[in-house]
């Protein structure tokens, strides 16, 4: 069926593939190639976006581009991922004629197609659309780099491959983001213990080796990376190490920005170091009883792992080499074989890392949760970034689950684009030529059906202790021999093949049962619960939900002598993934979807290169040709008559529009829309019709706003004129009364003058009328409120314009209430500073920095900076809430930046994405890096100039509780550097001296405190304040390992020398 009416003009050369005159694979490839080589990586297919990975940075996604797509109509701009974010955002708000509805953005494509970068850009633009500058928005943007470090790794086809899936739910109240929730799917834990050739472990391990200083490595127990088996003894080039060092700093900043406590960060990195040390533990057979023991060369590694995990060395050893069970009250010990011991070691490493990752996700959700009334309805935008379709040389259990998730997403796409639309045409009896598409329902039935689906059979075999991978493959061969999408394995490798929607994939069955069981050695759960490392104890006290989500606050019932891990977690890995996938699809089906199809232009990751074979393969299995055809000829928007009339009845500009077919036709006839079709129960529109109708509604909304503005102006003007008339009438009455009283007084005086005759005494003076002023104070004219030298013009900037009008004052009652409220807030802020901040801000000599001006007002700060050079700054304690304000002298104005102190004691300027360990570090950082968005650098600190302005009365109160001997300052004490005033240095000197006494008194009682306090003002050592619980044990274990390695190297050198003959030795 060919659609009728006009089509929306294309966005550039083939900017919308639905506008192609000829529709075939050659034309489609040509359009994509032409746009890609001209650095136009985004192309529309109706309302579906195709994004090709450029493999190079392009100037397409900067702040200026985001502003263009925020301010202008997306239909008038080229295709872009920002346009998708704008459609989802305004659809969530119910703008442009739509009703408010939850939205979801589904990003799909194979590995290396650019899904992770697309997710970052979507989040960036949605946060820009909020028009806010809250700390929550900055925290949400920091989630991606944090999760990439712990969940991404290098594979043979992608340097930054997501080894897990995530669904980010952004929750809004009106147009402001109020919170975020993250769901993670199927972390590839096996990568911790094994990587194929050309691949690496998770990024965080390499970031730690590159970013930690030598002292910090000693603290965590990390040696040369070439010694560790879990990273295959490979590290990287110097350039890669420099990049990883920068990435590690970004991860640490992200942890600070999101709100992780410093102790939590230290414990987390200590556990990761323990995972690496555990991987170096090797085993050898025991000659006496046939059991195994830890080899001599790895004794130090076992001791290091136990110290890093915070457990006893002998208890960890028992978990590795034997299994303890209780039968009829008798304790039975079964020793492991060497293979079983190695499997136990790897299982502990995988579970520990997996729980750390799950805890990070849970912590992010806790810190970013919305803080609103539960009865308030929140709207939602979900962004799905999940692992792409994979087909490696060796495909394992993880690849099967990954490809299953992609099968589900492809089915969701087919259902929304093809099945629903063509079913509506058939139901409404419209003339339509059916478009065939690759329906993958049989493949999903093969994998998910119960009780004979592949995952069900895998769970069945996993429940049998005697089952092996071979029995599992035999079960598959007998169950699916008649299936067209299953092929038995060929050759010596135990495996099978599945023909997916994207092609045939051969799976290696080795390890399927073990990975699906996801077991942990007995007694390890109880051992780690009793760990003295707080975080590790929390991780193993937590329960696991049926979707595999870690729940740290859930209480577990501990049964002595039982395998607590298996008793609380009976779900297999496959069952957990199936349940989580089912919940994900429920979320997607309940929201309005937007699709982004990512395409990889070539397999060599080269920029400006298009491999037609690679692109054509993706075009075919994604069904793009069929998608273009249905978007070109079909009707993607199909509202019911009632829904359409209710939504667009405003276009008739009359009340009580009936929800009937006739009303819908009347609405459409009032517009200039063409190309739509009316069915029996619904209307059929092209994908661009909804945007055009939205423009009509927006015109009426703008007209309504104008009408409201004029009416409100008229009403308030009328009210104002009435008040003015009343005031004038009252003034006239008062004036007339005063004039009447004056005349009466003059008449009385004249009459009295006529009756004067001596010796009549003079009349007594009249008592004066009561005055509103106090009796002891003479009446004075009203004094205007003093004005600042920098007159306030906006909430953020103060221009140096002294001719600006003075602000209007309120009533006396309002002024009194405001003064009382200001006094309460001021007292609360002072208590907060004294109790939590004073010691942190003090310098080593016990004095405060010269740029700290205590609790002075905004105007006083502006007056101080009035005659200072550009870039001069000061920091003052906020009067309204706990925190600080940085006042900066700019070009013709002063800027005030709020400094927030986060719950994890990190200092952040609102609007910035950098957290700092101390206030001094923040000042030093912005002396080198400008403050956004104007990128202005701090230059000269503004010193304190007089005792009338300042803070000393605020800061002196810190010394009031000291003994009298400490409060007395010696006269020879040097004053703190400040301004040129003569009275101020003495006052500052006394405060500094008393505070210095406080400082020295406290450091005498705590010897180790001095080094920690110095780290507060030293940015390079700000992360050395918190140590692992068994820091000394870790250091001893590292020394033992180094001694063993040096002894073994010396022995090898001696053996080499002994093997040489005397003749071979050089006489020199």
């Amino acid at each position: 069926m060919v659609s009728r009416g006009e089509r929306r003009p294309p966005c550039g050369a083939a900017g919308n593939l639905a506008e192609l005159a000829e529709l075939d694979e050659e034309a489609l490839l040509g359009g994509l190639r032409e746009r890609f080589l001209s650095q136009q990586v985004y192309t529309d297919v109706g309302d579906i976006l195709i994004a090709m990975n450029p493999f190079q940075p392009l100037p397409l996604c900067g702040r200026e581009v985001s502003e263009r797509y925020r301010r202008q109509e997306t239909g008038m701009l080229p295709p872009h991922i920002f346009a998708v974010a704008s459609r989802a955002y305004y659809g969530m708000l119910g703008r442009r004629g739509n009703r408010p509805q939850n939205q979801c953005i589904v990003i799909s494509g194979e590995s290396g197609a650019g899904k992770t970068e697309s997710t970052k850009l979507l989040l960036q633009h949605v946060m820009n659309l909020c028009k806010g500058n809250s700390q929550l928005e900055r925290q949400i943007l920091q989630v991606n780099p944090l999760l990439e470090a712990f969940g991404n790794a290098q594979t043979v086809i992608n340097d930054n491959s997501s080894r897990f899936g995530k669904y980010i739910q952004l929750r809004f109240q009106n147009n402001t983001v109020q919170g975020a929730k993250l769901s993670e799917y199927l972390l590839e834990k096996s990568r911790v213990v094994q990587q194929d050739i050309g691949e690496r472990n998770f990024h965080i391990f390499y970031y730690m080796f590159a970013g930690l200083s030598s002292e910090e490595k000693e603290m965590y127990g990390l040696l040369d990376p070439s010694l560790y088996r879990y990273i295959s003894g490979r590290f990287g080039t110097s350039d890669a190490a420099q990049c990883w060092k920068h990435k590690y700093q970004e991860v640490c900043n992200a942890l600070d920005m999101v709100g992780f406590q410093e102790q939590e960060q230290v414990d987390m990195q200590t556990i990761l170091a323990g995972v690496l040390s555990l991987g170096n533990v090797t085993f050898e057979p025991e000659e006496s009883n046939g059991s195994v023991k830890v080899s001599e060369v790895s004794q130090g590694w076992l001791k290091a792992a136990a110290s890093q995990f915070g457990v006893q060395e002998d208890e960890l050893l028992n978990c590795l080499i034997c299994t303890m069970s209780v039968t009829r009250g008798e304790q039975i010990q079964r020793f492991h074989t060497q293979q079983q011991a190695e499997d136990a070691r790897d299982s502990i490493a995988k579970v520990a890392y997996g729980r750390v990752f799950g805890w990070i996700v849970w912590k992010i959700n806790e810190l970013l949760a919305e803080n609103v009334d539960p009865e308030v309805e929140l709207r939602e935008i979900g962004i799905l970034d999940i692992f792409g379709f994979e087909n490696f040389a060796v495909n394992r259990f993880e690849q099967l689950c990954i490809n299953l998730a992609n099968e589900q997403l492809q089915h969701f796409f087919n259902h929304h684009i093809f099945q629903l639309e063509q079913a509506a045409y058939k139901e409404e009896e419209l003339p339509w030529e059916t478009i065939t598409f690759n329906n993958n329902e049989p493949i999903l039935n093969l994998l998910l059906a119960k009780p004979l689906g592949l995952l069900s059979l895998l769970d069945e075999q996993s429940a049998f202790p005697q089952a092996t991978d071979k029995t599992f493959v035999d079960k598959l061969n007998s169950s699916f021999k008649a299936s067209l999408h299953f092929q038995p394995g060929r050759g010596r490798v135990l495996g099978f093949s599945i023909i997916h929607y994207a092609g045939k994939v051969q799976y290696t069955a080795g390890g399927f049962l073990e990975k699906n069981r996801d077991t942990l050695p007995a007694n390890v759960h109880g051992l780690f619960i009793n760990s003295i490392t707080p975080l590790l104890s929390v991780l193993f006290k937590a329960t696991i939900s049926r979707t595999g989500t870690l729940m740290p606050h859930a209480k577990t019932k501990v049964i002595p002598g039982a395998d607590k891990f298996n008793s609380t977690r009976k779900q297999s890995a496959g069952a957990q993934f199936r349940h989580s996938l089912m919940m994900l699809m429920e979320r997607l089906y309940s929201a309005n979807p937007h699709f982004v199809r990512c395409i990889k232009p070539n397999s060599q990751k080269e920029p400006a290169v298009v491999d037609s074979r690679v692109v054509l393969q993706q075009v075919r299995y994604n069904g793009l040709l069929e998608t273009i055809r249905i978007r070109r000829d079909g009707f993607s928007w199909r509202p019911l008559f009632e829904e359409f009339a209710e939504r667009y009845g405003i276009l008739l500009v009359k009340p009580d529009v009936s929800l009937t077919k006739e009303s819908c036709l009347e609405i459409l006839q009032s517009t200039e829309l063409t190309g739509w079709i009316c069915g029996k129960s619904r209307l059929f529109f092209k994908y661009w019709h909804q945007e055009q109708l939205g423009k009509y509604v927006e015109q009426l909304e703008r007209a309504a706003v104008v009408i409201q503005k004029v009416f409100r102006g008229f009403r308030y003007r009328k009210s104002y004129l009435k008040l003015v008339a009343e005031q004038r009438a009252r003034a006239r009455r008062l004036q007339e009364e005063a004039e009447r009283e004056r005349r009466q007084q003059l008449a009385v005086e004249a009459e009295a003058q006529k009756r004067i005759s001596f010796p009549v005494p003079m009349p007594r003076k009249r008592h004066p009328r009561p005055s509103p002023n106090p009796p002891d104070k003479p009446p004075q004219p009203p004094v205007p409120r003093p004005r600042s030298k920098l007159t306030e013009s906006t909430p953020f900037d103060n221009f140096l314009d002294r001719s600006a009008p003075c602000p209007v004052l309120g009533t006396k009652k309002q002024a009194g209430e405001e003064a009382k409220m200001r006094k309460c807030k001021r007292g609360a802020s002072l208590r907060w500073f004294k109790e939590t901040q004073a010691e942190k801000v003090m310098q080593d000599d016990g004095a405060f920095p010269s740029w700290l001006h205590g609790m002075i007002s905004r105007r006083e700060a502006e007056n101080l900076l009035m005659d200072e050079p550009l870039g001069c700054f000061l920091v003052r304690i906020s009067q309204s809430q706990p925190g600080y304000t940085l006042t900066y002298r700019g070009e013709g104005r002063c800027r005030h930046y709020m400094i927030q102190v986060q719950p994890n004691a990190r200092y952040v300027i609102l609007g910035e994405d950098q957290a700092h360990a101390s206030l001094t570090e923040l000042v030093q950082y912005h002396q080198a890096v400008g403050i956004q968005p104007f990128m202005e650098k701090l230059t000269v600190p503004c010193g304190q100039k007089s005792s009338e302005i300042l803070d000393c009365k605020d800061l002196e109160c810190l010394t009031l509780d000291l003994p009298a001997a400490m409060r007395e300052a010696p006269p020879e004490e040097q004053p703190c550097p400040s301004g040129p005033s003569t009275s101020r240095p003495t006052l500052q000197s006394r405060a500094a001296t008393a505070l210095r006494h406080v400082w020295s008194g406290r450091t005498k009682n705590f010897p180790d405190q001095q080094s920690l306090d110095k780290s507060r003002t030293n940015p390079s050592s700000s992360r050395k304040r918190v140590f692992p619980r068994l820091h000394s044990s870790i250091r001893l274990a590292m020394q033992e390992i180094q001694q063993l390695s040096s002894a073994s190297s010396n022995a090898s050198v001696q053996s080499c020398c002994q093997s040489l003959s005397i003749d071979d030795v050089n006489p020199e």
Side-chain angles (χ1 to χ4, degrees):
M1 181 183 72
V2 180
S3 61
R4 302 177 302 173
E6 299 178 356
R7 290 194 178 94
R8 190 173 63 172
C11 301
N16 193 335
L17 296 179
E19 307 294 337
L20 289 174
E22 298 181 1
L23 184 57
D24 52 26
E25 290 183 348
E26 184 178 355
L28 175 57
L29 279 177
L32 290 176
R33 182 189 298 108
E34 180 182 356
R35 290 183 60 80
F36 180 77
L37 295 179
S38 61
Q39 295 188 347
Q40 295 176 328
V41 297
Y42 297 113
T43 308
D44 279 337
V45 179
D47 53 357
I48 301 168
L49 182 71
I50 299 176
M52 298 185 71
N53 191 346
F55 292 121
Q56 62 178 336
L58 295 177
L60 297 177
C61 306
R63 183 80 177 182
E64 299 80 7
V65 180
S66 180
E67 285 296 318
R68 285 172 51 202
Y69 282 85
R70 183 174 73 86
R71 294 176 179 176
Q72 300 182 25
E73 294 291 340
T74 56
M76 306 303 295
L77 295 171
H80 204 285
I81 197 164
F82 290 162
V84 178
S86 296
R87 286 199 297 267
Y89 180 76
Y90 292 123
M92 178 270 301
L93 294 178
R95 303 261 181 95
R96 298 174 181 173
N98 301 321
R99 59 183 177 84
Q101 185 181 2
N102 291 341
Q103 309 286 315
C104 69
I105 304 175
V106 180
I107 309 172
S108 59
E110 66 178 51
S111 182
K115 299 182 297 299
T116 301
E117 292 300 320
S118 297
T119 303
K120 293 180 186 177
L121 295 175
L122 287 170
L123 281 173
Q124 170 190 329
H125 189 64
V126 171
M127 293 300 103
N128 188 30
L129 289 170
C130 294
K131 301 180 183 179
N133 201 23
S134 70
Q135 193 64 17
L136 177 62
E137 295 166 9
R138 296 292 172 178
Q139 290 175 320
I140 291 173
L141 292 177
Q142 292 295 322
V143 168
N144 258 323
L146 179 57
L147 293 178
E148 279 186 28
F150 288 88
N152 287 28
Q154 176 182 320
T155 64
V156 292
I157 59 177
N158 189 0
D159 293 340
N160 188 31
S161 177
S162 297
R163 309 318 300 160
F164 73 108
K166 64 176 178 288
Y167 185 62
I168 304 174
Q169 296 167 264
L170 304 175
R171 291 173 175 169
F172 295 83
Q173 183 180 9
N174 298 326
N175 62 343
T176 306
V177 62
Q178 295 292 338
K181 183 181 178 182
L182 185 70
S183 302
E184 53 98 5
Y185 305 96
L186 192 70
L187 177 70
E188 189 186 22
K189 295 182 291 186
S190 61
R191 181 169 293 272
V192 176
V193 301
Q194 180 185 7
Q195 307 96 41
D196 292 332
I197 298 175
E199 299 192 349
R200 293 187 182 273
N201 210 321
F202 290 104
H203 291 328
I204 186 60
F205 293 113
Y206 306 95
Y207 293 173
M208 288 174 62
F209 281 114
L212 291 173
S213 64
S214 56
E215 292 82 5
E216 290 170 328
K217 289 179 182 178
E218 180 184 357
M219 179 180 76
Y220 291 119
L222 291 175
L223 299 177
D224 190 87
S226 61
L227 299 175
Y228 292 94
R229 191 177 64 87
Y230 278 170
I231 59 174
S232 303
R234 301 190 307 268
F235 189 57
T237 62
S238 58
D239 293 339
Q242 192 65 28
C243 177
W244 291 338
K245 181 178 181 180
H246 177 69
K247 290 288 186 181
Y248 178 77
Q249 295 171 354
E250 290 183 356
V251 171
C252 292
N253 180 67
L255 289 168
D256 290 338
M257 285 289 295
V258 176
F260 285 78
Q261 299 290 337
E262 189 171 5
Q263 182 65 61
E264 293 172 340
Q265 299 180 36
V266 170
D267 289 346
M268 181 170 56
Q269 296 186 77
T270 307
I271 294 172
L272 297 183
V275 168
L276 293 176
S277 298
L278 185 65
N280 284 3
V281 176
T282 57
F283 304 93
E284 59 186 18
E286 186 83 38
E287 297 179 358
S288 58
N289 55 5
S291 61
V292 295
K293 65 176 182 179
V294 175
S295 61
E296 292 294 334
V297 295
S298 60
Q299 287 287 346
W301 292 111
L302 177 64
K303 183 180 296 184
S307 301
Q308 289 157 337
F309 287 145
V311 298
Q312 294 293 328
E313 179 185 352
D314 55 346
E315 294 181 358
L316 179 60
L317 175 62
N318 289 334
C319 293
L320 292 173
I321 65 173
C322 66
T323 301
M324 302 293 295
S325 61
V326 179
T327 304
R328 296 180 180 179
E330 182 179 358
Q331 195 172 24
I332 301 175
Q333 185 179 30
R334 289 193 295 268
F335 289 97
H336 292 166
T337 64
Q338 185 171 350
Q339 183 61 46
Q340 289 173 336
E342 292 173 354
D343 291 342
R345 173 200 63 199
D346 293 344
S347 297
I348 294 173
K350 290 188 293 184
V351 171
Y353 188 87
R355 294 211 168 194
V356 167
F357 185 81
W359 174 80
I360 291 174
V361 173
W362 171 83
K363 188 73 175 178
I364 289 173
N365 289 335
E366 183 184 49
L367 294 170
L368 302 186
E370 60 274 6
N371 186 19
V372 296
D373 189 347
E375 297 181 358
V376 176
E377 184 180 4
L378 298 179
R379 294 295 174 186
E380 184 177 294
I381 297 178
I383 302 176
L384 177 64
D385 173 24
I386 206 163
F387 18 58
F389 189 87
E390 293 183 348
N391 188 1
F392 298 146
V394 179
N395 299 287
R396 300 185 175 89
F397 175 75
E398 292 81 9
Q399 277 67 50
L400 176 67
C401 295
I402 288 172
N403 293 339
L404 168 60
N406 283 272
E407 290 281 1
Q408 280 279 25
L409 294 181
Q410 181 67 19
H411 180 265
F412 176 70
F413 180 82
N414 291 339
H415 176 80
H416 188 80
I417 300 298
F418 296 104
Q419 291 178 328
L420 288 180
E421 187 165 331
Q422 297 192 106
Y425 300 151
K426 185 177 181 180
E427 181 182 352
E428 298 288 322
E429 299 179 357
L430 296 183
W432 176 257
E433 182 180 349
T434 302
I435 296 177
T436 58
F437 61 95
N438 184 15
N439 191 350
N440 64 339
E441 279 191 26
I443 306 175
L444 290 177
N445 293 332
L446 171 71
L447 297 171
L448 297 174
K450 293 182 179 181
L452 296 178
L454 189 146
L455 290 185
S456 297
L457 294 177
L458 180 60
D459 287 344
E460 177 187 313
Q461 291 291 307
S462 299
F464 296 131
Q466 303 301 324
T468 63
D469 295 324
K470 186 177 185 310
T471 61
F472 168 63
V473 172
D474 293 339
K475 187 74 172 178
L476 295 182
N477 292 337
S478 62
S479 300
F480 302 133
K481 58 184 178 181
S483 175
L484 298 177
H485 300 279
F486 179 86
Q487 292 181 2
R490 296 179 181 179
R492 298 180 180 179
V493 179
L494 187 66
F496 57 91
S497 298
I498 295 178
I499 303 176
H500 290 278
Y501 78 100
K504 178 181 175 181
V505 179
Q506 184 175 356
Y507 296 98
T508 301
F512 260 61
L513 293 183
E514 185 64 28
K515 291 177 180 179
N516 187 55
R517 289 168 180 154
D518 199 13
T519 55
L520 187 69
N523 303 325
V524 169
H525 189 247
L527 175 65
F528 284 169
I529 281 181
N530 297 320
S531 169
I532 66 170
T533 300
L535 179 57
L536 191 63
S537 179
V538 168
L539 295 182
F540 282 84
K541 284 180 182 177
T543 56
I544 305 295
S545 69
R546 61 185 309 209
T547 59
T549 303
L550 191 77
M551 299 185 297
H553 286 319
K555 295 183 179 180
T556 59
K557 185 177 180 180
V558 178
I559 303 175
D563 183 0
K564 308 173 189 65
F565 180 81
N566 290 328
S567 64
T568 58
R569 182 184 177 189
K570 297 180 180 179
Q571 293 284 331
S572 65
Q576 290 175 0
F577 183 65
R578 181 168 52 198
H579 288 310
S580 62
L581 203 57
M582 180 177 63
M583 293 184 63
L584 172 64
M585 300 313 296
E586 288 178 359
R587 292 192 183 107
L588 296 183
Y589 277 107
S590 64
N592 181 40
H594 305 262
F595 295 99
V596 178
R597 310 290 271 183
C598 296
I599 291 181
K600 183 168 58 175
N602 59 78
S603 300
Q604 290 75 34
K605 297 177 283 189
E606 296 180 0
V609 175
V610 178
D611 188 334
S612 299
R613 182 186 60 82
V614 173
V615 175
L616 183 60
Q617 181 184 6
Q618 298 172 78
V619 165
R620 285 173 176 170
Y621 72 66
N622 280 319
L624 287 184
L625 206 61
E626 294 79 6
T627 303
I628 295 172
R629 185 175 293 115
I630 199 169
R631 276 293 178 262
R632 184 185 67 177
D633 299 337
F635 300 88
S636 60
W637 182 38
R638 305 172 296 278
L640 296 170
F641 291 148
E642 296 81 4
E643 180 184 350
F644 182 82
E646 181 181 5
R647 193 182 304 178
Y648 297 101
I650 188 177
L651 295 179
L652 293 179
V653 198
K654 66 179 183 180
D656 302 328
V657 177
S658 59
L659 308 180
T660 60
K661 176 180 179 180
E662 291 73 18
S663 298
C664 296
L665 295 177
E666 185 179 358
I667 293 170
L668 290 172
Q669 289 170 1
S670 67
T671 66
E672 298 178 357
L673 259 64
T674 58
W676 50 270
I677 291 180
C678 182
K680 295 190 300 182
S681 63
R682 64 179 69 232
L683 295 166
F684 293 83
F685 294 97
K686 296 293 185 179
Y687 59 86
W688 67 82
H689 281 151
Q690 193 170 11
E691 183 177 343
Q692 292 180 352
L693 283 170
K695 292 180 180 179
Y696 287 115
V697 174
E698 284 185 350
Q699 290 177 0
L700 290 180
E701 288 178 348
R702 287 194 293 268
V705 170
V706 173
I707 294 173
Q708 290 175 353
K709 180 184 70 173
V710 173
F711 172 73
R712 289 176 179 173
F714 168 76
R715 188 177 66 179
Y716 289 123
R717 191 178 298 110
K718 184 178 179 181
S719 176
Y720 171 76
L721 294 176
K722 182 179 179 182
L723 289 174
V724 169
E726 291 177 354
Q727 291 290 338
R728 288 176 178 173
R730 182 182 176 185
R732 278 196 302 271
R733 287 197 303 271
L734 292 175
Q735 186 176 4
E736 291 173 358
E737 291 178 0
E739 181 66 20
R740 189 162 47 250
E741 289 182 359
R742 189 180 66 82
R743 290 177 180 176
Q744 292 177 356
Q745 182 68 22
L746 290 176
V748 169
E749 291 179 356
E751 186 67 23
Q753 188 70 24
K754 293 179 181 179
R755 296 176 182 177
I756 291 178
S757 60
F758 296 98
V760 179
M762 294 290 293
R764 292 186 301 174
K765 294 182 179 180
R766 297 179 60 184
H767 294 288
R769 294 184 179 181
S771 174
N773 295 316
D776 57 344
K777 189 175 182 180
Q780 296 180 359
V783 179
R785 182 180 177 184
R787 291 175 53 190
S788 168
K789 295 179 182 178
L790 303 181
T791 305
E792 181 177 336
S793 61
T794 70
F796 300 100
D797 296 336
N798 291 337
F799 291 85
L800 303 178
D801 182 10
R802 306 191 183 191
S803 62
C806 187
V808 180
L809 301 179
T811 64
K812 291 183 179 180
K813 183 178 180 180
Q814 292 175 345
E817 293 177 353
E818 291 177 359
K820 185 177 180 181
M821 183 63 67
R822 285 196 301 269
K823 185 177 180 181
C824 293
K825 291 181 178 179
R826 179 186 178 91
S829 296
L830 276 176
R831 286 193 300 272
W832 165 81
F833 178 80
K834 288 189 293 182
E835 295 172 1
T836 65
Q837 297 294 306
E839 293 184 5
K840 298 179 181 179
V841 180
M842 277 189 238
Q843 298 175 345
D844 293 340
D845 58 356
F848 291 104
S850 61
W851 40 259
L852 181 64
H853 282 245
M855 188 174 288
I856 62 175
S857 68
R858 181 189 185 108
R859 290 186 176 182
E860 290 170 331
E862 293 163 357
N863 292 339
L864 282 173
L865 296 176
M866 178 65 186
D867 300 323
E868 298 294 338
L870 295 181
C872 189
F873 69 96
L874 60 87
V875 178
R876 53 193 174 91
I877 304 172
S878 176
Q879 294 180 324
S880 59
Q881 61 183 356
Y884 299 94
T885 302
L886 172 66
T887 303
Y888 175 86
R889 175 69 161 88
E891 181 69 34
R893 69 187 68 187
C894 276
R895 303 193 195 278
H896 302 270
Y897 298 98
M898 183 177 292
I899 301 175
Q900 184 180 37
V901 184
Q902 299 188 150
N904 61 347
R906 292 295 185 264
Y907 298 80
V908 182
I909 294 180
L910 288 187
E912 287 283 326
D913 53 6
Q914 185 72 27
H916 307 275
S918 67
L919 200 58
T920 304
E921 182 180 333
L922 182 146
V923 170
Q924 292 175 354
Y925 176 82
H926 287 293
Q927 285 177 334
V929 180
I931 304 175
Q932 295 180 3
F934 303 102
M935 302 310 295
E936 296 169 326
K937 295 181 182 179
L938 308 181
T939 56
V940 182
C942 177
Q944 300 137 356
K945 294 185 177 180
S946 72
S947 59
E948 299 176 356
I949 298 175
L950 181 101
D951 53 341
C952 199
K953 294 181 180 179
D954 298 333
L955 303 184
E956 263 188 325
C957 60
L958 297 173
T959 66
L960 296 179
D961 298 332
L962 296 177
M966 287 189 177
R967 290 201 300 266
E968 294 177 359
E972 64 272 7
E973 195 72 45
Q974 294 297 325
C976 178
S978 59
S981 174
T982 58
S983 60
R984 173 65 192 152
T986 304
L987 190 60
Q988 180 71 13
S989 172
R990 293 175 182 175
T993 305
L995 292 174
R996 194 176 299 115
H997 283 307
V998 179
W999 194 256
S1000 59
R1002 289 177 178 172
T1003 52
K1004 287 178 183 177
N1005 297 329
F1006 302 100
D1008 295 336
Q1009 187 73 15
Q1010 294 181 358
S1011 60
L1012 301 183
D1013 293 330
K1014 290 180 180 179
S1015 67
R1016 290 192 177 100
T1017 56
N1018 186 2
S1020 62
S1021 61
S1022 61
R1023 295 191 174 274
K1024 301 177 186 176
R1025 291 176 288 170
V1026 181
F1027 295 88
R1029 292 299 190 269
L1030 295 179
H1031 172 55
S1032 58
S1033 300
I1034 296 173
R1035 186 170 61 248
L1036 292 175
M1038 294 299 105
Q1039 292 175 358
E1040 182 178 338
I1041 293 171
Q1042 289 172 337
Q1043 291 173 1
L1044 286 174
S1045 60
S1046 61
S1048 61
S1049 62
N1050 292 335
S1052 61
V1053 170
Q1054 291 177 3
S1055 62
C1056 290
C1057 293
Q1058 291 174 1
S1059 63
L1060 292 175
S1061 62
I1062 300 299
D1063 298 334
D1064 294 333
V1065 178
N1066 191 336
E1068 295 180 359

